Amino acid sequence: MTEFSPAFSVQRDGATAKDLLLFDLQRSRVAVNAALQGVAGGAAERLVRPGGWSIREVVLHLVVRDRVRIEEFDSALAGAPVSWAAIDHAAMASVNEAHLQPLRGLSWDEAVRLLHTTRAQLLERIASVPAEPDHVWTDQHAFGAMLGKLSPHDRIHADQIKTARIQG
């Protein structure tokens, strides 16, 4: 009988907490990019759910959340809680809308380009941080918690985009 081996177990063996976090960020963004594959300008205006954002707006939202992490990078690394740590869902929706508003005029192609460049900037900043001390990369530290929530967030929106495309 063949023994089951978890996905990417070879890559995970001996990896630091930083390596694991970076790996997860890459994998979750691959899910977003796969969900976006083949979406053209007109289809990008399809709502992900009734009364919700369009696919293009979701992409811009992902840009915004990466930008906010870049803005709060140094303070979170120093251990300060992120600005959205203690706000409720309604307040978060208001914050998201305020950040999204200046980007709403971007075209689909501009939004996708910004998605890629902003994530690249964030990954570059993350790569510049030493792997030690290890606890900085865990959800017990403001920095690790801030970055650790990004992959599940990406996957939620990737699933919303896929669902909108299927139901469209």
Side-chain angles (χ1 to χ4, degrees), residues 64 96-105:
V64 163
N96 281 332
E97 186 56 38
H99 283 119
L100 192 58
Q101 193 56 41
L103 301 177
R104 285 194 186 279

Side-chain angles (χ1 to χ4, degrees), residues 62-89:
L62 293 172
V63 167
V64 163
R65 298 318 304 160
D66 279 2
R67 281 183 170 181
V68 169
R69 280 166 173 83
I70 292 168
E71 290 168 10
E72 299 198 23
F73 196 92
D74 292 328
S75 61
L77 187 55
V82 292
S83 62
W84 65 90
I87 64 175
D88 63 24
H89 183 72

Side-chain angles (χ1 to χ4, degrees), residues 37-76:
Q37 190 68 37
V39 174
E45 297 309 316
R46 182 176 298 142
L47 299 182
V48 296
R49 61 179 166 73
W53 289 328
S54 68
I55 293 172
R56 182 180 58 82
E57 290 168 321
V58 169
V59 166
L60 292 172
H61 167 70
L62 293 172
V63 167
V64 163
R65 298 318 304 160
D66 279 2
R67 281 183 170 181
V68 169
R69 280 166 173 83
I70 292 168
E71 290 168 10
E72 299 198 23
F73 196 92
D74 292 328
S75 61

Side-chain angles (χ1 to χ4, degrees), residues 127-144:
S128 73
V129 177
E132 296 296 332
D134 200 53
H135 80 278
V136 170
W137 299 97
T138 70
D139 62 1
Q140 302 303 309
H141 190 279
F143 184 72

Side-chain angles (χ1 to χ4, degrees), residues 4-162:
F4 173 74
S5 190
F8 303 103
S9 61
V10 171
Q11 292 85 345
R12 292 174 185 271
D13 284 348
T16 65
K18 175 185 177 179
D19 294 335
L20 293 173
L21 189 136
L22 282 166
F23 184 63
D24 199 36
L25 287 173
Q26 295 284 13
R27 287 183 62 208
S28 67
R29 191 45 61 101
V30 166
V32 170
N33 291 330
L36 297 175
Q37 190 68 37
V39 174
E45 297 309 316
R46 182 176 298 142
L47 299 182
V48 296
R49 61 179 166 73
W53 289 328
S54 68
I55 293 172
R56 182 180 58 82
E57 290 168 321
V58 169
V59 166
L60 292 172
H61 167 70
L62 293 172
V63 167
V64 163
R65 298 318 304 160
D66 279 2
R67 281 183 170 181
V68 169
R69 280 166 173 83
I70 292 168
E71 290 168 10
E72 299 198 23
F73 196 92
D74 292 328
S75 61
L77 187 55
V82 292
S83 62
W84 65 90
I87 64 175
D88 63 24
H89 183 72
M92 191 70 214
S94 179
V95 167
N96 281 332
E97 186 56 38
H99 283 119
L100 192 58
Q101 193 56 41
L103 301 177
R104 285 194 186 279
L106 294 178
S107 71
W108 172 242
D109 290 338
E110 291 168 325
V112 172
R113 198 167 25 258
L114 193 56
L115 177 75
H116 297 308
T117 59
T118 306
R119 179 52 63 96
Q121 290 169 352
L122 178 59
L123 290 174
E124 187 176 312
R125 290 288 307 274
I126 295 168
S128 73
V129 177
E132 296 296 332
D134 200 53
H135 80 278
V136 170
W137 299 97
T138 70
D139 62 1
Q140 302 303 309
H141 190 279
F143 184 72
M146 173 184 80
L147 295 176
K149 289 180 176 65
L150 197 50
S151 292
H153 181 257
D154 276 359
R155 287 185 181 96
I156 287 167
H157 289 300
D159 288 343
Q160 288 176 337
I161 292 165
K162 286 189 282 188

